[in-house]
Amino acid sequence: RHRVSADRDAAQVECSPLSDPAGPPPWRWGCGPCLATRKMLRFLSKEAGDEARHLLRKSKTRRWWKPLPVLTAVALPSVLFAWVYFCGVSALRFYHPGIATLLGVYPALALCMVAFILVRTRFRDEHPMRETAVVGAGCWIAFLSAAVLSDQNYRWHNFSYYSYQDLADYTNIDPSMDKGQSYMDAGQVYFNDAARIGVDQIVSFRSDGTYCAAPILSQPIDKQENGASDNDLTVDFWAVGINCCDQERQTFTCGEAGNPKARAGLRLLRDDVRPFYALAVQQWNARNCPLDDNTVSGRAEASPLV
């Protein structure tokens, strides 16, 4: 028992690097686990040095931006926006709306869904996804913005433009003699030289804006000649606009109303604002054509030409 204890103490003294102050340096002493630890530290330090040199070499030689992903992220959403916008405002939508939707909306939506699936797959597999995510986000933004902007532009401008191509043109119209019902298919009208806007007869209706209307006349209202009798006289042609008149000051600046050479007009085709102009005309009718037994000077009608 005493011998085993003495051997154990001798082993502990031999494995301790500090057992002999006069002996070799501490880093030359040690048992098996200590030597393994020192070898592992030397290996890790070597690996760290190699990794640091590799990173420094890579930082000197790598490119800060990649041309192909950048061009893809710019070009693909731009082409997508242009194509969807074109299909949404062109004559193809006016004459063939189903084909325009099939060629414009569905392919763009399919491309955006493919980009979304690729981003989700790379995210799930923990792969680099920055470039794919940028392209996918750009495609979705381009698709949604093109769909909204093209629809607004089509409803406000292009629908009327293409509709005018299918309507008739009439010239030398006398607003005091001709009736609006005779020009139901008119798109563009040209009045005679005597036509003018009755600025002193303007009327306005206020809603989300000021809807202005003024009769187009060639003679005073009490001398209209477009009815069989005084009770049948009508005011069928109106100049209209939004936020361009002052009824109290009797100013009317809608369109080219201030140009003395202006003699032509376009038919109002927007159904979203037509009811407000009709209400303005009804106000004018109630003010100038009261329904009593003593004074009946005529009636005003909302014409297809305004």
Side-chain angles (χ1 to χ4, degrees):
R1 180 184 305 174
H2 293 290
R3 183 175 181 178
V4 172
S5 176
D7 294 341
R8 183 183 304 170
D9 295 338
Q12 292 178 356
V13 171
E14 183 181 358
C15 290
S16 176
L18 301 177
S19 60
D20 188 5
W27 53 84
R28 293 184 180 179
W29 281 79
C31 59
C34 297
L35 293 175
T37 302
R38 284 198 296 270
K39 290 181 179 179
M40 179 61 70
L41 291 176
R42 285 196 298 269
F43 174 77
L44 292 177
S45 63
K46 182 178 180 301
E47 289 292 324
D50 294 342
E51 182 68 18
R53 286 189 293 271
H54 175 71
L55 291 176
L56 289 174
R57 192 182 308 111
K58 184 178 179 181
S59 64
K60 292 180 180 179
T61 59
R62 75 172 186 176
R63 295 180 177 178
W64 291 104
W65 67 285
K66 299 178 181 179
L68 184 59
V70 171
L71 292 177
T72 303
V74 173
L76 188 59
S78 299
V79 172
L80 181 65
F81 178 89
W83 176 249
V84 175
Y85 193 90
F86 169 77
C87 293
V89 300
S90 63
L92 182 65
R93 177 178 178 179
F94 183 79
Y95 294 104
H96 306 286
I99 297 178
T101 303
L102 182 64
L103 295 179
V105 176
Y106 291 156
L109 184 60
L111 179 62
C112 292
M113 292 302 300
V114 170
F116 172 77
I117 293 173
L118 289 177
V119 172
R120 187 182 64 176
T121 302
R122 296 183 72 87
F123 176 78
R124 183 180 57 191
D125 297 340
E126 298 183 356
H127 291 166
M129 50 169 285
R130 181 176 59 183
E131 300 171 359
T132 308
V134 170
V135 174
C139 289
W140 275 106
I141 294 174
F143 169 67
L144 295 177
S145 59
V148 173
L149 295 177
S150 63
D151 185 70
Q152 291 181 352
N153 191 15
Y154 177 80
R155 294 181 182 277
W156 291 351
H157 303 100
N158 287 33
F159 176 78
S160 299
Y161 171 78
Y162 294 120
S163 297
Y164 289 136
Q165 311 303 316
D166 296 335
L167 297 175
D169 299 341
Y170 291 95
T171 60
N172 198 30
I173 295 178
D174 188 344
S176 296
M177 297 185 61
D178 297 328
K179 297 182 70 67
Q181 287 78 2
S182 302
Y183 306 98
M184 297 297 293
D185 60 342
Q188 304 180 49
V189 294
Y190 298 86
F191 298 100
N192 58 15
D193 294 338
R196 62 176 181 84
I197 296 178
V199 179
D200 56 335
Q201 297 290 333
I202 64 172
V203 65
S204 62
F205 177 83
R206 296 181 181 275
S207 181
D208 53 342
T210 303
Y211 295 84
C212 308
I216 300 176
L217 309 169
S218 60
Q219 297 181 10
I221 292 179
D222 56 352
K223 297 182 179 180
Q224 296 285 94
E225 299 179 3
N226 57 3
S229 62
D230 291 342
N231 293 340
D232 294 331
L233 298 180
T234 61
V235 179
D236 289 346
F237 301 95
W238 296 80
V240 298
I242 300 178
N243 299 327
C244 53
C245 68
D246 190 338
Q247 189 170 348
E248 296 180 357
R249 299 180 180 179
Q250 293 187 348
T251 59
F252 188 85
T253 59
C254 303
E256 294 293 325
N259 186 356
K261 297 182 179 180
R263 292 289 182 272
L266 294 174
R267 179 175 182 170
L268 179 66
L269 297 176
R270 288 183 55 184
D271 293 333
D272 57 330
V273 297
R274 180 181 291 272
F276 299 106
Y277 292 123
L279 290 174
V281 172
Q282 291 177 14
Q283 288 183 355
W284 186 93
N285 189 23
R287 185 181 65 189
N288 294 276
C289 309
L291 299 177
D292 56 29
D293 295 336
N294 297 325
T295 305
V296 178
S297 59
R299 69 178 186 275
E301 295 182 355
S303 169
L305 305 174
V306 288

